[in-house]
């Protein structure tokens, strides 16, 4: 009896284990662990200049140019690649309005909001503990030099 792709995915889901090299969840972890993904999610989750809580408020719609201005240091190519991968994975939706020039905006999907909520803790941890990490780096470097 032939199985449908949906049935195959359901069976595979039971066996997802990111410790296995062939597991698709490992690829997803690799994608969502990038700094630009974290920052795009935080920005769209209202954690931009107007909301430092990052994913703590209401998600907001942002134009490409707004994201680029907010994410200091991101290249146009990297931002485009990041947004495309997030859209492909169903975390971000893209809306094109046929104006002159064309207006393109991005917002988190429900799936993206759920990930953003998870990332909020990671972003906050990094901000709170950065001084500790820098001190440990300095100590480590002094001992290994």
């Amino acid at each position: 009896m032939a199985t449908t792709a949906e049935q195959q995915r359901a069976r595979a889901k039971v066996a997802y284990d990111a410790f296995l090299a062939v597991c698709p969840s490992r690829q997803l972890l690799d994608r969502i662990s990038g700094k630009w993904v974290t920052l795009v999610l935080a920005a769209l989750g209202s954690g931009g200049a107007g909301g430092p809580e990052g994913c703590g408020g209401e998600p907001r719609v942002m134009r490409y140019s707004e994201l680029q201005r907010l994410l200091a240091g991101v290249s146009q190519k990297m931002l485009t690649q990041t947004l495309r991968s997030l859209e492909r994975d169903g975390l971000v939706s893209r809306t094109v309005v046929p104006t002159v020039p064309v207006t393109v905006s991005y917002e988190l999907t429900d799936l993206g909001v759920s990930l953003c909520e998870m990332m909020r803790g990671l972003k906050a941890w990094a901000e709170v503990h950065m001084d500790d990490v820098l001190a440990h780096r300095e100590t480590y470097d002094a001992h290994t030099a």
Side-chain angles (χ1 to χ4, degrees), residues 33-83:
S33 64
K35 71 178 172 184
W36 298 121
V37 168
T38 302
L39 294 173
V40 166
L41 291 173
L44 293 174
S46 76
E53 65 279 355
C55 308
E58 286 296 312
R60 61 186 184 163
V61 177
M62 293 183 77
R63 293 179 60 184
Y64 182 93
S65 58
E66 291 176 278
L67 283 166
Q68 192 169 34
R69 274 192 305 275
L70 183 62
L71 303 177
V74 70
S75 68
Q76 182 176 348
K77 179 181 178 182
M78 183 52 64
L79 181 56
T80 298
Q81 287 176 347
T82 300
L83 288 166

Side-chain angles (χ1 to χ4, degrees), residues 27 31 37 60 89 108 110 124 143:
Q27 294 170 344
R31 176 164 303 157
V37 168
R60 61 186 184 163
D89 289 341
L108 295 175
D110 289 342
H143 285 79

Side-chain angles (χ1 to χ4, degrees), residues 22-34:
V22 296
C23 183
S25 64
R26 184 179 280 197
Q27 294 170 344
L28 180 59
L29 285 171
D30 184 47
R31 176 164 303 157
I32 64 175
S33 64

Side-chain angles (χ1 to χ4, degrees), residues 122-138:
L122 183 60
K123 177 182 174 286
W125 183 92
E127 292 167 349
V128 167
H129 295 288
M130 195 65 232
D131 287 338
D132 297 328
V133 171
L134 290 172
H136 284 283
R137 286 180 183 173
E138 189 174 309

